[in-house]
Amino acid sequence: MQLSRVRAISFDLDDTLWPFMPCVVRAEAALTDWLRTHAPGTRALLASPTALRDYRARVDHAHPELHLDFSALRRASIRAMLSDAGEDLALVEPAFEVFFEQRLTVTLYPDVLPALTRLSARYPLVGLSNGNGCVHRAGVAHLLKGSLSAATLGVAKPQAQAFHAAAALANVPPSALLHVGDDWRLDVLGAIGAGAQAAWVMREPGETPAEAGTTPHAAVSDLTALCALLAV
């Protein structure tokens, strides 16, 4: 890596700034409870513990045009379940709102707020996510120049255009951008392929990809370590 090149930083959101699975588990539990009460025809369908995820996967397969918009996918999967259950499709939006309220309720990793505060004093920071998390609800929007999602951009990581958009928002060329994220393929290889640099966040180190030893990147355990790497 060439740390002297870094003039802006983009951050993945889910599993980089906050843990993702607790949000989804809580959101799906809330949606299940709501549907059982307000759309009783869905009770038989919901007998399977994987029903909501099965419907989402089915809709994702049937509607590839929605694959960049997780909110649209969730709405469509709720609609499909309500339709199969013979329930009123007007319930789609209130059901989605129950789900989304919990999806957006996140708990930052303890290192995130102090680290972003320190980093934002030196660099413009940008959120860059394939998902539908919200930096405003997470309480970090004031530290960022903005946040971009696949749904709003029309492209997703690891496509180069996503990283180029983040660099443009930070008003730097891609070569001056450091992207920080937890996913080796989407975040690290994507950023490097776009001409940026990458810091791989390994909060729970697992199997290391074979190419990790030959790919120019940094690996950090959390954002406190990122601050140390950048001497912030």
Side-chain angles (χ1 to χ4, degrees), residues 29-59:
L31 176 58
T32 297
D33 289 345
W34 191 93
L35 288 171
R36 284 173 173 159
T37 299
H38 298 276
T42 63
R43 290 175 184 169
L45 299 175
L46 291 166
S48 167
T50 64
L52 292 178
R53 296 184 190 189
D54 292 344
Y55 267 88
R56 189 183 181 286
R58 189 178 89 184
V59 170

PDB file of all heavy atoms in Angstrom, residues 29-59:
ATOM      1  N   ALA A  29     -38.093 -11.440  12.894  1.00  0.00           N
ATOM      2  CA  ALA A  29     -38.954 -11.848  14.010  1.00  0.00           C
ATOM      3  C   ALA A  29     -40.123 -10.880  14.171  1.00  0.00           C
ATOM      4  O   ALA A  29     -41.273 -11.298  14.383  1.00  0.00           O
ATOM      5  CB  ALA A  29     -38.139 -11.923  15.294  1.00  0.00           C
ATOM      6  N   ALA A  30     -39.843  -9.581  14.057  1.00  0.00           N
ATOM      7  CA  ALA A  30     -40.909  -8.570  14.174  1.00  0.00           C
ATOM      8  C   ALA A  30     -41.907  -8.712  13.033  1.00  0.00           C
ATOM      9  O   ALA A  30     -43.131  -8.614  13.249  1.00  0.00           O
ATOM     10  CB  ALA A  30     -40.296  -7.172  14.185  1.00  0.00           C
ATOM     11  N   LEU A  31     -41.415  -8.949  11.829  1.00  0.00           N
ATOM     12  CA  LEU A  31     -42.300  -9.116  10.678  1.00  0.00           C
ATOM     13  C   LEU A  31     -43.161 -10.362  10.825  1.00  0.00           C
ATOM     14  O   LEU A  31     -44.368 -10.331  10.539  1.00  0.00           O
ATOM     15  CB  LEU A  31     -41.468  -9.189   9.395  1.00  0.00           C
ATOM     16  CG  LEU A  31     -42.234  -9.470   8.100  1.00  0.00           C
ATOM     17  CD1 LEU A  31     -43.304  -8.419   7.858  1.00  0.00           C
ATOM     18  CD2 LEU A  31     -41.258  -9.535   6.919  1.00  0.00           C
ATOM     19  N   THR A  32     -42.558 -11.442  11.267  1.00  0.00           N
ATOM     20  CA  THR A  32     -43.313 -12.689  11.469  1.00  0.00           C
ATOM     21  C   THR A  32     -44.446 -12.485  12.463  1.00  0.00           C
ATOM     22  O   THR A  32     -45.592 -12.893  12.216  1.00  0.00           O
ATOM     23  CB  THR A  32     -42.373 -13.802  11.956  1.00  0.00           C
ATOM     24  OG1 THR A  32     -41.394 -14.075  10.942  1.00  0.00           O
ATOM     25  CG2 THR A  32     -43.140 -15.077  12.266  1.00  0.00           C
ATOM     26  N   ASP A  33     -44.149 -11.863  13.582  1.00  0.00           N
ATOM     27  CA  ASP A  33     -45.184 -11.605  14.601  1.00  0.00           C
ATOM     28  C   ASP A  33     -46.296 -10.723  14.036  1.00  0.00           C
ATOM     29  O   ASP A  33     -47.484 -10.976  14.288  1.00  0.00           O
ATOM     30  CB  ASP A  33     -44.559 -10.941  15.828  1.00  0.00           C
ATOM     31  CG  ASP A  33     -43.678 -11.889  16.626  1.00  0.00           C
ATOM     32  OD1 ASP A  33     -43.770 -13.116  16.401  1.00  0.00           O
ATOM     33  OD2 ASP A  33     -42.895 -11.406  17.459  1.00  0.00           O
ATOM     34  N   TRP A  34     -45.915  -9.703  13.282  1.00  0.00           N
ATOM     35  CA  TRP A  34     -46.911  -8.780  12.726  1.00  0.00           C
ATOM     36  C   TRP A  34     -47.816  -9.497  11.721  1.00  0.00           C
ATOM     37  O   TRP A  34     -49.043  -9.317  11.739  1.00  0.00           O
ATOM     38  CB  TRP A  34     -46.207  -7.608  12.059  1.00  0.00           C
ATOM     39  CG  TRP A  34     -47.116  -6.480  11.697  1.00  0.00           C
ATOM     40  CD1 TRP A  34     -47.424  -5.372  12.437  1.00  0.00           C
ATOM     41  CD2 TRP A  34     -47.852  -6.341  10.467  1.00  0.00           C
ATOM     42  NE1 TRP A  34     -48.302  -4.559  11.767  1.00  0.00           N
ATOM     43  CE2 TRP A  34     -48.592  -5.131  10.557  1.00  0.00           C
ATOM     44  CE3 TRP A  34     -47.970  -7.119   9.311  1.00  0.00           C
ATOM     45  CZ2 TRP A  34     -49.416  -4.688   9.530  1.00  0.00           C
ATOM     46  CZ3 TRP A  34     -48.800  -6.675   8.287  1.00  0.00           C
ATOM     47  CH2 TRP A  34     -49.508  -5.484   8.399  1.00  0.00           C
ATOM     48  N   LEU A  35     -47.217 -10.284  10.843  1.00  0.00           N
ATOM     49  CA  LEU A  35     -48.005 -10.993   9.843  1.00  0.00           C
ATOM     50  C   LEU A  35     -48.970 -11.984  10.496  1.00  0.00           C
ATOM     51  O   LEU A  35     -50.128 -12.102  10.068  1.00  0.00           O
ATOM     52  CB  LEU A  35     -47.081 -11.721   8.868  1.00  0.00           C
ATOM     53  CG  LEU A  35     -46.318 -10.839   7.872  1.00  0.00           C
ATOM     54  CD1 LEU A  35     -45.279 -11.658   7.127  1.00  0.00           C
ATOM     55  CD2 LEU A  35     -47.270 -10.173   6.892  1.00  0.00           C
ATOM     56  N   ARG A  36     -48.513 -12.693  11.500  1.00  0.00           N
ATOM     57  CA  ARG A  36     -49.392 -13.665  12.167  1.00  0.00           C
ATOM     58  C   ARG A  36     -50.609 -12.976  12.786  1.00  0.00           C
ATOM     59  O   ARG A  36     -51.695 -13.551  12.821  1.00  0.00           O
ATOM     60  CB  ARG A  36     -48.608 -14.420  13.240  1.00  0.00           C
ATOM     61  CG  ARG A  36     -47.676 -15.482  12.677  1.00  0.00           C
ATOM     62  CD  ARG A  36     -46.799 -16.080  13.753  1.00  0.00           C
ATOM     63  NE  ARG A  36     -46.032 -17.211  13.236  1.00  0.00           N
ATOM     64  CZ  ARG A  36     -44.925 -17.673  13.796  1.00  0.00           C
ATOM     65  NH1 ARG A  36     -44.438 -17.084  14.900  1.00  0.00           N
ATOM     66  NH2 ARG A  36     -44.295 -18.701  13.272  1.00  0.00           N
ATOM     67  N   THR A  37     -50.422 -11.753  13.242  1.00  0.00           N
ATOM     68  CA  THR A  37     -51.522 -11.015  13.877  1.00  0.00           C
ATOM     69  C   THR A  37     -52.419 -10.341  12.853  1.00  0.00           C
ATOM     70  O   THR A  37     -53.644 -10.427  12.936  1.00  0.00           O
ATOM     71  CB  THR A  37     -50.949  -9.953  14.843  1.00  0.00           C
ATOM     72  OG1 THR A  37     -50.190 -10.601  15.850  1.00  0.00           O
ATOM     73  CG2 THR A  37     -52.076  -9.151  15.483  1.00  0.00           C
ATOM     74  N   HIS A  38     -51.822  -9.658  11.867  1.00  0.00           N
ATOM     75  CA  HIS A  38     -52.587  -8.819  10.951  1.00  0.00           C
ATOM     76  C   HIS A  38     -52.937  -9.509   9.631  1.00  0.00           C
ATOM     77  O   HIS A  38     -53.807  -9.016   8.899  1.00  0.00           O
ATOM     78  CB  HIS A  38     -51.819  -7.533  10.669  1.00  0.00           C
ATOM     79  CG  HIS A  38     -51.583  -6.703  11.890  1.00  0.00           C
ATOM     80  ND1 HIS A  38     -52.521  -5.818  12.380  1.00  0.00           N
ATOM     81  CD2 HIS A  38     -50.519  -6.634  12.738  1.00  0.00           C
ATOM     82  CE1 HIS A  38     -52.048  -5.236  13.473  1.00  0.00           C
ATOM     83  NE2 HIS A  38     -50.835  -5.708  13.703  1.00  0.00           N
ATOM     84  N   ALA A  39     -52.255 -10.599   9.326  1.00  0.00           N
ATOM     85  CA  ALA A  39     -52.551 -11.365   8.108  1.00  0.00           C
ATOM     86  C   ALA A  39     -52.565 -12.844   8.481  1.00  0.00           C
ATOM     87  O   ALA A  39     -51.648 -13.594   8.137  1.00  0.00           O
ATOM     88  CB  ALA A  39     -51.504 -11.079   7.039  1.00  0.00           C
ATOM     89  N   PRO A  40     -53.581 -13.286   9.198  1.00  0.00           N
ATOM     90  CA  PRO A  40     -53.591 -14.646   9.748  1.00  0.00           C
ATOM     91  C   PRO A  40     -53.489 -15.742   8.690  1.00  0.00           C
ATOM     92  O   PRO A  40     -53.069 -16.864   9.001  1.00  0.00           O
ATOM     93  CB  PRO A  40     -54.919 -14.726  10.500  1.00  0.00           C
ATOM     94  CG  PRO A  40     -55.738 -13.590   9.995  1.00  0.00           C
ATOM     95  CD  PRO A  40     -54.772 -12.528   9.606  1.00  0.00           C
ATOM     96  N   GLY A  41     -53.833 -15.406   7.444  1.00  0.00           N
ATOM     97  CA  GLY A  41     -53.690 -16.400   6.386  1.00  0.00           C
ATOM     98  C   GLY A  41     -52.253 -16.820   6.144  1.00  0.00           C
ATOM     99  O   GLY A  41     -52.008 -17.858   5.526  1.00  0.00           O
ATOM    100  N   THR A  42     -51.308 -16.029   6.632  1.00  0.00           N
ATOM    101  CA  THR A  42     -49.887 -16.362   6.425  1.00  0.00           C
ATOM    102  C   THR A  42     -49.357 -17.327   7.477  1.00  0.00           C
ATOM    103  O   THR A  42     -48.222 -17.789   7.369  1.00  0.00           O
ATOM    104  CB  THR A  42     -49.013 -15.092   6.460  1.00  0.00           C
ATOM    105  OG1 THR A  42     -49.098 -14.489   7.770  1.00  0.00           O
ATOM    106  CG2 THR A  42     -49.461 -14.083   5.411  1.00  0.00           C
ATOM    107  N   ARG A  43     -50.155 -17.633   8.501  1.00  0.00           N
ATOM    108  CA  ARG A  43     -49.639 -18.440   9.614  1.00  0.00           C
ATOM    109  C   ARG A  43     -49.125 -19.800   9.157  1.00  0.00           C
ATOM    110  O   ARG A  43     -48.084 -20.267   9.621  1.00  0.00           O
ATOM    111  CB  ARG A  43     -50.720 -18.605  10.675  1.00  0.00           C
ATOM    112  CG  ARG A  43     -51.033 -17.318  11.433  1.00  0.00           C
ATOM    113  CD  ARG A  43     -52.198 -17.501  12.381  1.00  0.00           C
ATOM    114  NE  ARG A  43     -52.563 -16.240  13.038  1.00  0.00           N
ATOM    115  CZ  ARG A  43     -53.659 -16.065  13.749  1.00  0.00           C
ATOM    116  NH1 ARG A  43     -54.514 -17.085  13.921  1.00  0.00           N
ATOM    117  NH2 ARG A  43     -53.917 -14.895  14.298  1.00  0.00           N
ATOM    118  N   ALA A  44     -49.859 -20.438   8.263  1.00  0.00           N
ATOM    119  CA  ALA A  44     -49.420 -21.755   7.785  1.00  0.00           C
ATOM    120  C   ALA A  44     -48.096 -21.640   7.032  1.00  0.00           C
ATOM    121  O   ALA A  44     -47.200 -22.483   7.193  1.00  0.00           O
ATOM    122  CB  ALA A  44     -50.490 -22.371   6.888  1.00  0.00           C
ATOM    123  N   LEU A  45     -47.960 -20.596   6.222  1.00  0.00           N
ATOM    124  CA  LEU A  45     -46.709 -20.391   5.475  1.00  0.00           C
ATOM    125  C   LEU A  45     -45.545 -20.121   6.414  1.00  0.00           C
ATOM    126  O   LEU A  45     -44.416 -20.541   6.156  1.00  0.00           O
ATOM    127  CB  LEU A  45     -46.873 -19.233   4.494  1.00  0.00           C
ATOM    128  CG  LEU A  45     -47.944 -19.399   3.415  1.00  0.00           C
ATOM    129  CD1 LEU A  45     -48.069 -18.120   2.605  1.00  0.00           C
ATOM    130  CD2 LEU A  45     -47.610 -20.577   2.505  1.00  0.00           C
ATOM    131  N   LEU A  46     -45.833 -19.400   7.501  1.00  0.00           N
ATOM    132  CA  LEU A  46     -44.785 -19.019   8.444  1.00  0.00           C
ATOM    133  C   LEU A  46     -44.420 -20.137   9.407  1.00  0.00           C
ATOM    134  O   LEU A  46     -43.559 -19.956  10.268  1.00  0.00           O
ATOM    135  CB  LEU A  46     -45.222 -17.779   9.232  1.00  0.00           C
ATOM    136  CG  LEU A  46     -45.305 -16.487   8.413  1.00  0.00           C
ATOM    137  CD1 LEU A  46     -46.055 -15.409   9.190  1.00  0.00           C
ATOM    138  CD2 LEU A  46     -43.918 -16.007   8.032  1.00  0.00           C
ATOM    139  N   ALA A  47     -45.059 -21.295   9.258  1.00  0.00           N
ATOM    140  CA  ALA A  47     -44.714 -22.430  10.124  1.00  0.00           C
ATOM    141  C   ALA A  47     -43.269 -22.865   9.908  1.00  0.00           C
ATOM    142  O   ALA A  47     -42.613 -23.373  10.816  1.00  0.00           O
ATOM    143  CB  ALA A  47     -45.669 -23.602   9.858  1.00  0.00           C
ATOM    144  N   SER A  48     -42.765 -22.640   8.701  1.00  0.00           N
ATOM    145  CA  SER A  48     -41.358 -22.943   8.428  1.00  0.00           C
ATOM    146  C   SER A  48     -40.495 -21.806   8.954  1.00  0.00           C
ATOM    147  O   SER A  48     -40.745 -20.635   8.638  1.00  0.00           O
ATOM    148  CB  SER A  48     -41.118 -23.100   6.932  1.00  0.00           C
ATOM    149  OG  SER A  48     -39.726 -23.094   6.635  1.00  0.00           O
ATOM    150  N   PRO A  49     -39.456 -22.094   9.724  1.00  0.00           N
ATOM    151  CA  PRO A  49     -38.609 -21.022  10.264  1.00  0.00           C
ATOM    152  C   PRO A  49     -37.827 -20.271   9.187  1.00  0.00           C
ATOM    153  O   PRO A  49     -37.319 -19.181   9.440  1.00  0.00           O
ATOM    154  CB  PRO A  49     -37.660 -21.768  11.216  1.00  0.00           C
ATOM    155  CG  PRO A  49     -37.647 -23.179  10.725  1.00  0.00           C
ATOM    156  CD  PRO A  49     -39.023 -23.429  10.176  1.00  0.00           C
ATOM    157  N   THR A  50     -37.744 -20.838   7.998  1.00  0.00           N
ATOM    158  CA  THR A  50     -37.007 -20.173   6.913  1.00  0.00           C
ATOM    159  C   THR A  50     -37.950 -19.536   5.891  1.00  0.00           C
ATOM    160  O   THR A  50     -37.504 -19.127   4.817  1.00  0.00           O
ATOM    161  CB  THR A  50     -36.082 -21.169   6.196  1.00  0.00           C
ATOM    162  OG1 THR A  50     -36.886 -22.188   5.572  1.00  0.00           O
ATOM    163  CG2 THR A  50     -35.102 -21.804   7.156  1.00  0.00           C
ATOM    164  N   ALA A  51     -39.236 -19.426   6.214  1.00  0.00           N
ATOM    165  CA  ALA A  51     -40.228 -18.971   5.237  1.00  0.00           C
ATOM    166  C   ALA A  51     -39.892 -17.610   4.641  1.00  0.00           C
ATOM    167  O   ALA A  51     -39.934 -17.427   3.423  1.00  0.00           O
ATOM    168  CB  ALA A  51     -41.609 -18.946   5.881  1.00  0.00           C
ATOM    169  N   LEU A  52     -39.575 -16.640   5.490  1.00  0.00           N
ATOM    170  CA  LEU A  52     -39.307 -15.291   4.979  1.00  0.00           C
ATOM    171  C   LEU A  52     -38.099 -15.274   4.055  1.00  0.00           C
ATOM    172  O   LEU A  52     -38.119 -14.630   3.003  1.00  0.00           O
ATOM    173  CB  LEU A  52     -39.105 -14.316   6.140  1.00  0.00           C
ATOM    174  CG  LEU A  52     -40.344 -14.018   7.003  1.00  0.00           C
ATOM    175  CD1 LEU A  52     -39.973 -13.079   8.133  1.00  0.00           C
ATOM    176  CD2 LEU A  52     -41.464 -13.418   6.156  1.00  0.00           C
ATOM    177  N   ARG A  53     -37.057 -16.002   4.420  1.00  0.00           N
ATOM    178  CA  ARG A  53     -35.855 -16.010   3.583  1.00  0.00           C
ATOM    179  C   ARG A  53     -36.089 -16.815   2.312  1.00  0.00           C
ATOM    180  O   ARG A  53     -35.546 -16.488   1.253  1.00  0.00           O
ATOM    181  CB  ARG A  53     -34.674 -16.551   4.382  1.00  0.00           C
ATOM    182  CG  ARG A  53     -34.336 -15.644   5.542  1.00  0.00           C
ATOM    183  CD  ARG A  53     -33.117 -16.057   6.317  1.00  0.00           C
ATOM    184  NE  ARG A  53     -33.034 -15.265   7.540  1.00  0.00           N
ATOM    185  CZ  ARG A  53     -31.999 -15.266   8.347  1.00  0.00           C
ATOM    186  NH1 ARG A  53     -30.942 -16.015   8.069  1.00  0.00           N
ATOM    187  NH2 ARG A  53     -31.996 -14.518   9.444  1.00  0.00           N
ATOM    188  N   ASP A  54     -36.928 -17.860   2.409  1.00  0.00           N
ATOM    189  CA  ASP A  54     -37.254 -18.640   1.208  1.00  0.00           C
ATOM    190  C   ASP A  54     -38.018 -17.778   0.209  1.00  0.00           C
ATOM    191  O   ASP A  54     -37.750 -17.832  -1.001  1.00  0.00           O
ATOM    192  CB  ASP A  54     -38.081 -19.871   1.588  1.00  0.00           C
ATOM    193  CG  ASP A  54     -37.286 -20.892   2.383  1.00  0.00           C
ATOM    194  OD1 ASP A  54     -36.044 -20.800   2.391  1.00  0.00           O
ATOM    195  OD2 ASP A  54     -37.913 -21.768   3.009  1.00  0.00           O
ATOM    196  N   TYR A  55     -38.964 -16.997   0.689  1.00  0.00           N
ATOM    197  CA  TYR A  55     -39.724 -16.118  -0.200  1.00  0.00           C
ATOM    198  C   TYR A  55     -38.819 -15.054  -0.812  1.00  0.00           C
ATOM    199  O   TYR A  55     -38.935 -14.730  -2.001  1.00  0.00           O
ATOM    200  CB  TYR A  55     -40.891 -15.465   0.545  1.00  0.00           C
ATOM    201  CG  TYR A  55     -42.186 -16.236   0.416  1.00  0.00           C
ATOM    202  CD1 TYR A  55     -42.494 -17.248   1.315  1.00  0.00           C
ATOM    203  CD2 TYR A  55     -43.083 -15.957  -0.606  1.00  0.00           C
ATOM    204  CE1 TYR A  55     -43.684 -17.974   1.197  1.00  0.00           C
ATOM    205  CE2 TYR A  55     -44.270 -16.669  -0.737  1.00  0.00           C
ATOM    206  CZ  TYR A  55     -44.560 -17.677   0.160  1.00  0.00           C
ATOM    207  OH  TYR A  55     -45.717 -18.389   0.039  1.00  0.00           O
ATOM    208  N   ARG A  56     -37.923 -14.518  -0.010  1.00  0.00           N
ATOM    209  CA  ARG A  56     -37.013 -13.494  -0.537  1.00  0.00           C
ATOM    210  C   ARG A  56     -36.123 -14.094  -1.619  1.00  0.00           C
ATOM    211  O   ARG A  56     -35.882 -13.460  -2.657  1.00  0.00           O
ATOM    212  CB  ARG A  56     -36.169 -12.904   0.586  1.00  0.00           C
ATOM    213  CG  ARG A  56     -35.343 -11.684   0.154  1.00  0.00           C
ATOM    214  CD  ARG A  56     -34.470 -11.202   1.289  1.00  0.00           C
ATOM    215  NE  ARG A  56     -33.692 -10.046   0.919  1.00  0.00           N
ATOM    216  CZ  ARG A  56     -32.623 -10.065   0.123  1.00  0.00           C
ATOM    217  NH1 ARG A  56     -32.203 -11.196  -0.405  1.00  0.00           N
ATOM    218  NH2 ARG A  56     -31.957  -8.945  -0.156  1.00  0.00           N
ATOM    219  N   ALA A  57     -35.613 -15.303  -1.396  1.00  0.00           N
ATOM    220  CA  ALA A  57     -34.761 -15.957  -2.395  1.00  0.00           C
ATOM    221  C   ALA A  57     -35.549 -16.240  -3.672  1.00  0.00           C
ATOM    222  O   ALA A  57     -35.022 -16.093  -4.785  1.00  0.00           O
ATOM    223  CB  ALA A  57     -34.196 -17.251  -1.816  1.00  0.00           C
ATOM    224  N   ARG A  58     -36.800 -16.646  -3.512  1.00  0.00           N
ATOM    225  CA  ARG A  58     -37.638 -16.942  -4.673  1.00  0.00           C
ATOM    226  C   ARG A  58     -37.871 -15.687  -5.504  1.00  0.00           C
ATOM    227  O   ARG A  58     -37.767 -15.709  -6.740  1.00  0.00           O
ATOM    228  CB  ARG A  58     -38.982 -17.508  -4.208  1.00  0.00           C
ATOM    229  CG  ARG A  58     -39.842 -18.046  -5.330  1.00  0.00           C
ATOM    230  CD  ARG A  58     -41.124 -18.624  -4.773  1.00  0.00           C
ATOM    231  NE  ARG A  58     -42.175 -17.605  -4.670  1.00  0.00           N
ATOM    232  CZ  ARG A  58     -43.377 -17.823  -4.138  1.00  0.00           C
ATOM    233  NH1 ARG A  58     -43.661 -19.009  -3.624  1.00  0.00           N
ATOM    234  NH2 ARG A  58     -44.277 -16.855  -4.104  1.00  0.00           N
ATOM    235  N   VAL A  59     -38.157 -14.578  -4.845  1.00  0.00           N
ATOM    236  CA  VAL A  59     -38.389 -13.321  -5.555  1.00  0.00           C
ATOM    237  C   VAL A  59     -37.101 -12.824  -6.202  1.00  0.00           C
ATOM    238  O   VAL A  59     -37.113 -12.309  -7.322  1.00  0.00           O
ATOM    239  CB  VAL A  59     -38.974 -12.270  -4.590  1.00  0.00           C
ATOM    240  CG1 VAL A  59     -38.983 -10.891  -5.236  1.00  0.00           C
ATOM    241  CG2 VAL A  59     -40.386 -12.666  -4.175  1.00  0.00           C
TER     242      VAL A  59
END
